[in-house]
Amino acid sequence: LPTLQFLWLILQHVLPKGLQRVRDYGFLHGNAKRLRVRIQAILLHQFNWNMPKLVATFTAKAIRICPCCQHEMKCVGITRTT
């Protein structure tokens, strides 16, 4: 691509001063998954659609076993070596 055309393509994605991207706020925010699920559940209930059952998910802790005594090991700190 010629330089000017490349710059034009990049600058099309830059917002004017004073404007904010909408998806950074509210239920469109990246960390708002729970809120989006609640909104979907409310809307599904309001329109009387068959709502799939919501199952609480959790992440299991990684358990490390000591090769000598066969007991669970716990992390007490992390060191960084260079």
Side-chain angles (χ1 to χ4, degrees):
L1 284 175
T3 307
L4 288 176
Q5 187 177 5
F6 175 75
L7 289 174
W8 172 250
L9 290 173
I10 296 295
L11 290 176
Q12 284 180 344
H13 299 284
V14 176
L15 292 174
K17 267 191 177 174
L19 293 181
Q20 299 268 338
R21 290 187 309 183
V22 173
R23 72 170 188 250
D24 288 343
Y25 299 97
F27 67 91
L28 295 176
H29 191 270
N31 290 331
K33 183 176 181 178
R34 287 184 186 170
L35 179 59
R36 281 193 302 271
V37 168
R38 287 181 64 196
I39 291 171
Q40 289 171 350
I42 291 169
L43 289 174
L44 286 173
H45 180 70
Q46 185 176 8
F47 292 112
N48 294 326
W49 291 344
N50 292 332
M51 186 170 62
K53 295 186 180 195
L54 300 176
V55 177
T57 58
F58 64 94
T59 56
K61 241 174 71 173
I63 298 174
R64 292 191 168 87
I65 304 296
C66 177
C68 297
C69 66
Q70 303 302 318
H71 284 92
E72 180 181 345
M73 295 191 298
K74 295 184 180 181
C75 180
V76 293
I78 297 173
T79 59
R80 186 177 193 170
T81 58
T82 55

Coordinates of all heavy atoms in Angstrom, one line a residue:
L1 N 0.8 -1.2 0.0 CA 0.0 0.0 0.0 C 0.9 1.3 0.0 O 1.9 1.3 0.7 CB -0.9 0.0 1.3 CG -2.1 -0.9 1.4 CD1 -2.7 -0.7 2.7 CD2 -3.1 -0.5 0.3
P2 N 0.4 2.2 -0.7 CA 1.1 3.5 -0.6 C 1.0 4.1 0.8 O 0.0 3.8 1.5 CB 0.4 4.4 -1.6 CG -0.3 3.5 -2.5 CD -0.6 2.3 -1.7
T3 N 1.9 4.9 1.2 CA 2.0 5.4 2.6 C 0.7 6.2 2.9 O 0.1 6.0 4.0 CB 3.2 6.4 2.7 OG1 4.3 5.6 2.3 CG2 3.3 6.8 4.2
L4 N 0.2 7.1 2.1 CA -0.9 7.9 2.4 C -2.2 7.0 2.5 O -3.0 7.3 3.4 CB -1.2 9.0 1.3 CG -0.1 10.1 1.3 CD1 -0.4 11.1 0.2 CD2 -0.2 10.8 2.6
Q5 N -2.3 6.0 1.7 CA -3.5 5.2 1.8 C -3.5 4.4 3.1 O -4.5 4.2 3.7 CB -3.6 4.2 0.6 CG -4.8 3.4 0.5 CD -4.9 2.5 -0.7 OE1 -3.9 2.4 -1.5 NE2 -6.0 1.9 -0.9
F6 N -2.3 3.9 3.5 CA -2.1 3.2 4.7 C -2.5 4.0 5.9 O -3.3 3.6 6.8 CB -0.7 2.7 4.9 CG -0.4 2.0 6.2 CD1 -0.9 0.7 6.4 CD2 0.3 2.7 7.2 CE1 -0.6 0.1 7.7 CE2 0.5 2.1 8.4 CZ 0.1 0.8 8.6
L7 N -2.0 5.3 5.9 CA -2.3 6.2 7.0 C -3.8 6.5 7.0 O -4.4 6.6 8.1 CB -1.5 7.5 6.9 CG 0.0 7.3 7.2 CD1 0.7 8.6 6.9 CD2 0.2 6.9 8.7
W8 N -4.5 6.6 5.9 CA -5.9 6.9 5.8 C -6.7 5.8 6.4 O -7.6 6.0 7.2 CB -6.3 7.2 4.4 CG -7.8 7.3 4.2 CD1 -8.6 6.4 3.6 CD2 -8.6 8.3 4.8 NE1 -9.9 6.8 3.7 CE2 -10.0 8.0 4.4 CE3 -8.4 9.5 5.5 CZ2 -11.0 8.8 4.8 CZ3 -9.5 10.3 5.8 CH2 -10.8 9.9 5.5
L9 N -6.3 4.5 6.1 CA -7.0 3.4 6.7 C -6.8 3.3 8.2 O -7.8 3.0 8.9 CB -6.4 2.1 6.0 CG -6.8 1.9 4.6 CD1 -6.0 0.7 4.0 CD2 -8.3 1.7 4.4
I10 N -5.7 3.7 8.7 CA -5.4 3.7 10.2 C -6.2 4.8 10.8 O -6.9 4.6 11.9 CB -3.9 3.8 10.5 CG1 -3.1 2.6 10.0 CG2 -3.7 4.0 12.0 CD1 -3.5 1.3 10.6
L11 N -6.2 6.0 10.3 CA -6.9 7.1 10.9 C -8.4 7.0 10.8 O -9.1 7.8 11.6 CB -6.4 8.4 10.2 CG -4.9 8.8 10.5 CD1 -4.5 10.0 9.8 CD2 -4.7 9.0 12.0
Q12 N -9.0 6.1 10.1 CA -10.4 6.0 10.1 C -10.9 5.4 11.4 O -12.0 5.6 11.8 CB -10.8 5.0 8.9 CG -10.8 5.6 7.6 CD -11.2 4.6 6.5 OE1 -11.3 3.4 6.8 NE2 -11.6 5.1 5.4
H13 N -10.0 4.8 12.2 CA -10.4 4.2 13.4 C -10.1 5.1 14.6 O -10.3 4.7 15.8 CB -9.6 2.8 13.6 CG -10.0 1.9 12.5 ND1 -11.2 1.2 12.5 CD2 -9.3 1.5 11.4 CE1 -11.2 0.4 11.4 NE2 -10.1 0.6 10.8
V14 N -9.6 6.3 14.4 CA -9.3 7.2 15.5 C -10.5 8.1 15.7 O -11.0 8.7 14.8 CB -8.0 8.1 15.2 CG1 -7.8 9.1 16.2 CG2 -6.8 7.2 15.0
L15 N -11.0 8.2 16.9 CA -12.1 9.0 17.2 C -11.7 10.4 17.4 O -10.6 10.7 17.9 CB -12.8 8.5 18.5 CG -13.5 7.1 18.5 CD1 -13.9 6.7 19.9 CD2 -14.6 7.2 17.5
P16 N -12.6 11.4 17.1 CA -12.3 12.8 17.3 C -12.2 13.1 18.8 O -12.6 12.3 19.7 CB -13.6 13.5 16.8 CG -14.2 12.5 15.9 CD -13.9 11.2 16.4
K17 N -11.5 14.2 19.2 CA -11.3 14.5 20.6 C -12.6 14.7 21.3 O -13.6 15.2 20.8 CB -10.5 15.9 20.7 CG -9.1 15.7 20.7 CD -8.4 17.0 21.1 CE -6.9 16.8 21.2 NZ -6.2 18.0 21.4
G18 N -12.6 14.2 22.5 CA -13.8 14.3 23.4 C -14.8 13.1 23.3 O -15.7 13.1 24.1
L19 N -14.6 12.3 22.3 CA -15.5 11.1 22.2 C -14.9 9.9 22.8 O -13.7 9.7 22.7 CB -15.8 10.8 20.7 CG -16.7 11.9 20.0 CD1 -16.9 11.5 18.5 CD2 -18.0 12.1 20.7
Q20 N -15.7 9.0 23.3 CA -15.2 7.8 23.9 C -15.9 6.6 23.2 O -17.0 6.7 22.7 CB -15.7 7.7 25.4 CG -15.1 8.8 26.3 CD -13.8 8.4 26.9 OE1 -13.5 7.2 27.0 NE2 -13.0 9.4 27.3
R21 N -15.2 5.5 23.2 CA -15.8 4.3 22.6 C -16.9 3.8 23.5 O -16.7 3.7 24.7 CB -14.8 3.2 22.4 CG -13.8 3.5 21.3 CD -12.9 2.4 21.0 NE -12.3 1.9 22.3 CZ -11.4 0.9 22.3 NH1 -11.1 0.3 21.2 NH2 -11.0 0.5 23.4
V22 N -18.0 3.5 22.9 CA -19.2 3.1 23.7 C -18.9 1.7 24.4 O -19.4 1.5 25.5 CB -20.4 3.0 22.8 CG1 -21.6 2.4 23.6 CG2 -20.8 4.4 22.3
R23 N -18.2 0.8 23.7 CA -18.1 -0.5 24.3 C -17.2 -0.6 25.5 O -17.1 -1.6 26.1 CB -17.6 -1.5 23.2 CG -16.2 -1.3 22.8 CD -15.7 -2.5 22.0 NE -14.3 -2.5 21.7 CZ -13.8 -2.2 20.6 NH1 -14.5 -1.9 19.5 NH2 -12.5 -2.2 20.5
D24 N -16.6 0.5 25.9 CA -15.8 0.5 27.1 C -16.6 0.8 28.4 O -16.1 0.8 29.5 CB -14.7 1.6 27.0 CG -13.6 1.2 26.0 OD1 -13.5 0.0 25.7 OD2 -12.9 2.1 25.6
Y25 N -17.9 1.0 28.3 CA -18.7 1.4 29.4 C -20.0 0.5 29.4 O -20.4 0.0 28.4 CB -19.2 2.8 29.3 CG -18.0 3.7 29.3 CD1 -17.4 4.3 28.2 CD2 -17.4 4.1 30.6 CE1 -16.3 5.1 28.2 CE2 -16.3 4.9 30.6 CZ -15.7 5.4 29.4 OH -14.7 6.2 29.5
G26 N -20.6 0.4 30.6 CA -21.8 -0.3 30.8 C -21.8 -1.8 30.5 O -20.8 -2.5 30.7
F27 N -22.9 -2.4 29.9 CA -22.9 -3.8 29.7 C -22.1 -4.3 28.5 O -22.0 -5.4 28.3 CB -24.4 -4.3 29.6 CG -25.1 -3.8 28.4 CD1 -25.1 -4.5 27.2 CD2 -25.8 -2.6 28.4 CE1 -25.8 -4.1 26.1 CE2 -26.5 -2.1 27.3 CZ -26.5 -2.9 26.2
L28 N -21.6 -3.3 27.7 CA -20.7 -3.7 26.6 C -19.3 -3.8 27.0 O -18.4 -4.2 26.2 CB -20.9 -2.7 25.5 CG -22.3 -2.6 24.8 CD1 -22.3 -1.5 23.8 CD2 -22.6 -4.0 24.2
H29 N -19.0 -3.5 28.2 CA -17.6 -3.5 28.7 C -17.1 -5.0 28.7 O -17.9 -5.9 28.9 CB -17.5 -2.9 30.1 CG -16.1 -2.7 30.6 ND1 -15.4 -3.7 31.3 CD2 -15.3 -1.7 30.5 CE1 -14.2 -3.3 31.6 NE2 -14.1 -2.1 31.1
G30 N -15.8 -5.2 28.5 CA -15.3 -6.5 28.5 C -15.5 -7.4 29.7 O -15.6 -8.6 29.7
N31 N -15.5 -6.8 30.9 CA -15.7 -7.5 32.1 C -17.1 -7.6 32.6 O -17.4 -8.0 33.8 CB -14.8 -6.8 33.2 CG -13.4 -7.0 33.0 OD1 -12.9 -8.0 32.4 ND2 -12.6 -6.1 33.4
A32 N -18.1 -7.2 31.8 CA -19.5 -7.2 32.2 C -20.2 -8.4 31.8 O -21.4 -8.4 31.5 CB -20.1 -5.9 31.7
K33 N -19.6 -9.6 31.7 CA -20.3 -10.8 31.3 C -21.5 -11.2 32.1 O -22.6 -11.5 31.7 CB -19.3 -12.0 31.2 CG -19.9 -13.2 30.6 CD -18.9 -14.3 30.5 CE -19.6 -15.6 29.9 NZ -18.7 -16.7 29.7
R34 N -21.3 -11.1 33.5 CA -22.4 -11.4 34.4 C -23.6 -10.5 34.1 O -24.8 -11.0 34.1 CB -22.0 -11.3 35.8 CG -21.1 -12.4 36.3 CD -20.8 -12.3 37.7 NE -19.8 -13.3 38.1 CZ -19.2 -13.3 39.3 NH1 -19.5 -12.3 40.2 NH2 -18.3 -14.2 39.6
L35 N -23.4 -9.2 33.9 CA -24.4 -8.3 33.7 C -25.2 -8.6 32.4 O -26.4 -8.6 32.3 CB -23.9 -6.9 33.7 CG -24.9 -5.7 33.4 CD1 -26.0 -5.8 34.5 CD2 -24.2 -4.4 33.4
R36 N -24.4 -9.0 31.4 CA -25.0 -9.3 30.1 C -25.9 -10.6 30.2 O -27.0 -10.6 29.7 CB -24.0 -9.5 29.0 CG -23.4 -8.3 28.4 CD -22.6 -8.5 27.2 NE -21.5 -9.4 27.4 CZ -20.3 -9.0 27.7 NH1 -20.0 -7.7 27.9 NH2 -19.3 -9.9 27.9
V37 N -25.4 -11.5 31.0 CA -26.2 -12.8 31.2 C -27.5 -12.4 32.0 O -28.6 -13.0 31.6 CB -25.4 -13.8 32.0 CG1 -26.2 -15.0 32.5 CG2 -24.2 -14.3 31.1
R38 N -27.4 -11.6 33.0 CA -28.6 -11.2 33.7 C -29.6 -10.4 32.8 O -30.8 -10.7 32.9 CB -28.3 -10.3 34.9 CG -27.6 -11.0 36.0 CD -27.3 -10.1 37.2 NE -28.5 -9.6 37.7 CZ -28.6 -8.6 38.6 NH1 -27.5 -7.9 38.9 NH2 -29.7 -8.1 39.0
I39 N -29.1 -9.6 31.9 CA -30.0 -8.8 31.0 C -30.6 -9.8 30.1 O -31.8 -9.7 29.8 CB -29.2 -7.8 30.2 CG1 -28.8 -6.6 31.2 CG2 -30.0 -7.2 29.1 CD1 -27.8 -5.6 30.6
Q40 N -29.9 -10.8 29.6 CA -30.5 -11.8 28.7 C -31.5 -12.6 29.4 O -32.6 -12.9 28.8 CB -29.4 -12.7 28.1 CG -28.4 -12.0 27.1 CD -27.2 -12.9 26.8 OE1 -27.0 -13.9 27.4 NE2 -26.5 -12.5 25.8
A41 N -31.3 -13.0 30.6 CA -32.2 -13.8 31.4 C -33.5 -13.0 31.6 O -34.6 -13.5 31.5 CB -31.6 -14.2 32.7
I42 N -33.4 -11.7 31.9 CA -34.6 -10.8 32.1 C -35.4 -10.7 30.8 O -36.6 -10.8 30.8 CB -34.2 -9.4 32.6 CG1 -33.6 -9.6 34.1 CG2 -35.3 -8.5 32.5 CD1 -33.0 -8.3 34.6
L43 N -34.7 -10.5 29.7 CA -35.4 -10.4 28.4 C -36.0 -11.7 28.0 O -37.2 -11.7 27.5 CB -34.4 -9.9 27.3 CG -33.9 -8.5 27.5 CD1 -32.9 -8.2 26.4 CD2 -35.1 -7.5 27.3
L44 N -35.4 -12.8 28.2 CA -36.0 -14.1 27.9 C -37.2 -14.4 28.8 O -38.2 -14.9 28.3 CB -34.9 -15.2 28.1 CG -33.8 -15.3 27.0 CD1 -32.8 -16.4 27.4 CD2 -34.4 -15.7 25.7
H45 N -37.1 -14.0 30.0 CA -38.3 -14.2 30.9 C -39.4 -13.3 30.5 O -40.6 -13.7 30.6 CB -37.9 -13.9 32.4 CG -39.0 -14.1 33.3 ND1 -39.5 -15.3 33.6 CD2 -39.7 -13.2 34.0 CE1 -40.5 -15.2 34.5 NE2 -40.7 -13.9 34.7
Q46 N -39.1 -12.1 30.1 CA -40.1 -11.1 29.7 C -40.9 -11.6 28.5 O -42.1 -11.4 28.4 CB -39.5 -9.8 29.5 CG -40.5 -8.7 29.2 CD -39.8 -7.3 29.0 OE1 -38.6 -7.2 28.9 NE2 -40.6 -6.3 28.9
F47 N -40.2 -12.2 27.6 CA -40.9 -12.7 26.3 C -41.3 -14.1 26.4 O -41.7 -14.7 25.4 CB -39.9 -12.5 25.2 CG -39.7 -11.0 24.8 CD1 -38.4 -10.5 25.1 CD2 -40.7 -10.2 24.3 CE1 -38.2 -9.2 24.8 CE2 -40.5 -8.9 24.1 CZ -39.2 -8.4 24.3
N48 N -41.2 -14.8 27.6 CA -41.7 -16.1 27.9 C -41.1 -17.1 26.9 O -41.7 -18.1 26.5 CB -43.2 -16.2 27.8 CG -43.9 -15.4 28.9 OD1 -43.3 -15.3 30.0 ND2 -45.0 -14.8 28.6
W49 N -39.8 -17.0 26.7 CA -39.1 -18.0 25.9 C -38.5 -19.1 26.8 O -38.4 -18.8 28.0 CB -38.0 -17.4 25.0 CG -38.5 -16.5 24.0 CD1 -39.8 -16.4 23.5 CD2 -37.7 -15.5 23.3 NE1 -39.9 -15.5 22.5 CE2 -38.6 -14.9 22.3 CE3 -36.4 -15.1 23.3 CZ2 -38.2 -13.9 21.5 CZ3 -36.0 -14.1 22.4 CH2 -36.9 -13.5 21.5
N50 N -38.2 -20.2 26.2 CA -37.6 -21.2 27.0 C -36.2 -20.8 27.3 O -35.3 -20.7 26.4 CB -37.6 -22.6 26.3 CG -39.0 -23.1 26.1 OD1 -39.9 -22.8 27.0 ND2 -39.3 -23.9 25.1
M51 N -35.9 -20.6 28.6 CA -34.6 -20.2 29.0 C -33.7 -21.4 29.3 O -34.2 -22.2 30.1 CB -34.7 -19.2 30.2 CG -33.4 -18.6 30.6 SD -33.6 -17.3 31.8 CE -34.3 -18.2 33.2
P52 N -32.5 -21.4 28.8 CA -31.6 -22.5 29.2 C -31.2 -22.3 30.7 O -31.2 -21.2 31.2 CB -30.4 -22.3 28.3 CG -30.4 -20.9 27.9 CD -31.9 -20.5 27.9
K53 N -31.0 -23.5 31.3 CA -30.7 -23.4 32.7 C -29.3 -22.9 32.9 O -28.3 -23.3 32.2 CB -30.8 -24.8 33.4 CG -32.2 -25.3 33.4 CD -32.3 -26.6 34.1 CE -33.7 -27.0 34.1 NZ -34.0 -28.1 35.0
L54 N -29.1 -21.9 33.8 CA -27.8 -21.3 34.0 C -27.1 -22.1 35.1 O -27.7 -22.4 36.2 CB -28.0 -19.9 34.5 CG -28.7 -18.9 33.6 CD1 -28.9 -17.5 34.2 CD2 -27.9 -18.8 32.3
V55 N -26.0 -22.6 34.8 CA -25.2 -23.4 35.7 C -24.0 -22.6 36.1 O -23.3 -22.0 35.3 CB -24.7 -24.7 34.9 CG1 -23.8 -25.5 35.9 CG2 -25.9 -25.5 34.4
A56 N -23.8 -22.5 37.4 CA -22.7 -21.8 38.0 C -21.4 -22.6 37.7 O -21.3 -23.7 37.9 CB -22.8 -21.6 39.5
T57 N -20.5 -21.9 37.1 CA -19.2 -22.5 36.8 C -18.1 -22.0 37.8 O -18.2 -20.9 38.2 CB -18.8 -22.2 35.4 OG1 -18.6 -20.7 35.2 CG2 -19.8 -22.7 34.3
F58 N -17.2 -22.8 38.0 CA -16.1 -22.5 38.9 C -14.8 -23.1 38.4 O -14.9 -24.1 37.7 CB -16.3 -22.8 40.4 CG -16.4 -24.3 40.6 CD1 -15.3 -25.1 40.9 CD2 -17.6 -25.0 40.4 CE1 -15.4 -26.4 41.1 CE2 -17.7 -26.3 40.6 CZ -16.6 -27.1 41.0
T59 N -13.7 -22.5 38.6 CA -12.5 -23.0 38.2 C -11.8 -23.8 39.3 O -11.8 -23.3 40.5 CB -11.5 -21.9 37.7 OG1 -11.4 -21.0 38.7 CG2 -12.1 -21.2 36.5
A60 N -11.4 -25.0 39.0 CA -10.8 -25.8 40.1 C -9.4 -25.3 40.3 O -8.7 -24.9 39.4 CB -10.8 -27.3 39.6
K61 N -9.0 -25.4 41.6 CA -7.6 -25.0 42.0 C -6.7 -26.1 41.5 O -7.0 -27.3 41.7 CB -7.5 -24.8 43.5 CG -7.1 -23.5 43.9 CD -7.2 -23.3 45.4 CE -6.1 -24.1 46.1 NZ -6.0 -23.9 47.5
A62 N -5.5 -25.8 41.0 CA -4.5 -26.8 40.7 C -3.9 -27.3 42.0 O -3.4 -26.5 42.8 CB -3.5 -26.2 39.7
I63 N -3.9 -28.6 42.1 CA -3.4 -29.2 43.4 C -2.1 -29.9 43.0 O -2.0 -30.7 42.1 CB -4.3 -30.2 44.0 CG1 -5.6 -29.4 44.4 CG2 -3.7 -30.9 45.2 CD1 -6.7 -30.3 44.9
R64 N -1.0 -29.5 43.7 CA 0.3 -30.1 43.4 C 0.6 -31.0 44.6 O 0.5 -30.6 45.8 CB 1.4 -29.1 43.2 CG 1.1 -28.3 41.9 CD 2.4 -27.5 41.6 NE 2.3 -27.0 40.2 CZ 1.7 -25.9 39.9 NH1 1.1 -25.2 40.8 NH2 1.7 -25.5 38.6
I65 N 1.1 -32.2 44.4 CA 1.4 -33.2 45.4 C 2.9 -33.3 45.5 O 3.6 -33.4 44.5 CB 0.8 -34.6 45.1 CG1 -0.8 -34.4 44.8 CG2 1.1 -35.6 46.1 CD1 -1.5 -34.0 46.1
C66 N 3.4 -33.3 46.8 CA 4.8 -33.4 47.0 C 5.2 -34.9 46.7 O 4.6 -35.8 47.1 CB 5.1 -33.2 48.5 SG 6.8 -33.5 49.0
P67 N 6.3 -35.0 45.9 CA 6.7 -36.3 45.5 C 7.3 -37.1 46.6 O 7.3 -38.4 46.6 CB 7.8 -36.1 44.4 CG 8.2 -34.7 44.6 CD 7.1 -34.0 45.2
C68 N 7.7 -36.5 47.7 CA 8.3 -37.2 48.9 C 7.3 -37.7 49.8 O 7.2 -38.8 50.2 CB 9.3 -36.3 49.6 SG 10.7 -35.8 48.5
C69 N 6.4 -36.7 50.4 CA 5.5 -37.1 51.4 C 4.1 -37.3 50.9 O 3.2 -37.6 51.7 CB 5.5 -36.0 52.5 SG 4.9 -34.4 52.0
Q70 N 3.8 -37.0 49.7 CA 2.4 -37.2 49.1 C 1.4 -36.3 49.7 O 0.2 -36.6 49.6 CB 2.0 -38.7 49.2 CG 2.9 -39.7 48.5 CD 3.2 -39.4 47.1 OE1 2.2 -39.1 46.3 NE2 4.4 -39.5 46.6
H71 N 1.8 -35.1 50.3 CA 0.8 -34.2 50.8 C 0.7 -33.0 49.8 O 1.6 -32.8 48.9 CB 1.2 -33.6 52.1 CG 1.0 -34.6 53.2 ND1 1.9 -35.5 53.7 CD2 -0.1 -34.8 54.0 CE1 1.5 -36.2 54.6 NE2 0.2 -35.8 54.9
E72 N -0.4 -32.3 49.9 CA -0.6 -31.1 49.0 C 0.4 -30.0 49.3 O 0.7 -29.7 50.5 CB -2.0 -30.6 49.3 CG -2.4 -29.4 48.4 CD -3.8 -28.8 48.7 OE1 -4.6 -29.5 49.3 OE2 -4.0 -27.7 48.2
M73 N 1.0 -29.5 48.3 CA 1.9 -28.4 48.4 C 1.2 -27.1 48.2 O 0.2 -27.0 47.4 CB 3.0 -28.5 47.4 CG 3.9 -29.7 47.6 SD 5.4 -29.7 46.5 CE 4.8 -29.6 44.9
K74 N 1.6 -26.0 48.9 CA 1.0 -24.7 48.8 C 2.1 -23.7 48.3 O 3.2 -23.8 48.7 CB 0.4 -24.2 50.1 CG -0.7 -25.1 50.5 CD -1.4 -24.6 51.8 CE -2.5 -25.5 52.2 NZ -3.2 -25.1 53.4
C75 N 1.7 -22.8 47.5 CA 2.6 -21.7 47.0 C 2.7 -20.7 48.0 O 1.7 -20.1 48.5 CB 2.0 -21.2 45.7 SG 3.1 -19.9 45.0
V76 N 3.9 -20.4 48.4 CA 4.2 -19.3 49.4 C 4.8 -18.1 48.8 O 4.9 -17.1 49.5 CB 5.0 -19.9 50.6 CG1 4.3 -20.9 51.4 CG2 6.4 -20.4 50.1
G77 N 5.2 -18.2 47.6 CA 5.8 -17.0 46.9 C 6.3 -17.4 45.6 O 6.6 -18.6 45.3
I78 N 6.6 -16.4 44.8 CA 7.2 -16.6 43.4 C 8.4 -15.7 43.4 O 8.4 -14.5 43.7 CB 6.2 -16.2 42.3 CG1 4.9 -17.1 42.4 CG2 6.8 -16.3 41.0 CD1 3.8 -16.7 41.5
T79 N 9.5 -16.3 42.9 CA 10.7 -15.5 42.7 C 11.0 -15.5 41.2 O 10.7 -16.4 40.5 CB 11.9 -16.1 43.4 OG1 12.1 -17.4 43.0 CG2 11.7 -16.1 44.9
R80 N 11.6 -14.4 40.8 CA 11.9 -14.2 39.4 C 13.4 -14.2 39.3 O 14.1 -13.4 39.9 CB 11.4 -12.9 38.9 CG 11.5 -12.7 37.5 CD 10.8 -11.4 37.1 NE 10.7 -11.4 35.6 CZ 10.0 -10.5 35.0 NH1 9.3 -9.6 35.6 NH2 9.9 -10.5 33.7
T81 N 13.9 -15.2 38.5 CA 15.4 -15.2 38.2 C 15.7 -14.8 36.8 O 14.9 -15.0 35.9 CB 15.9 -16.7 38.4 OG1 15.2 -17.5 37.5 CG2 15.6 -17.2 39.9
T82 N 16.8 -14.1 36.7 CA 17.1 -13.6 35.4 C 18.4 -14.2 34.9 O 19.2 -14.7 35.6 CB 17.3 -12.1 35.4 OG1 18.2 -11.7 36.4 CG2 15.9 -11.4 35.6

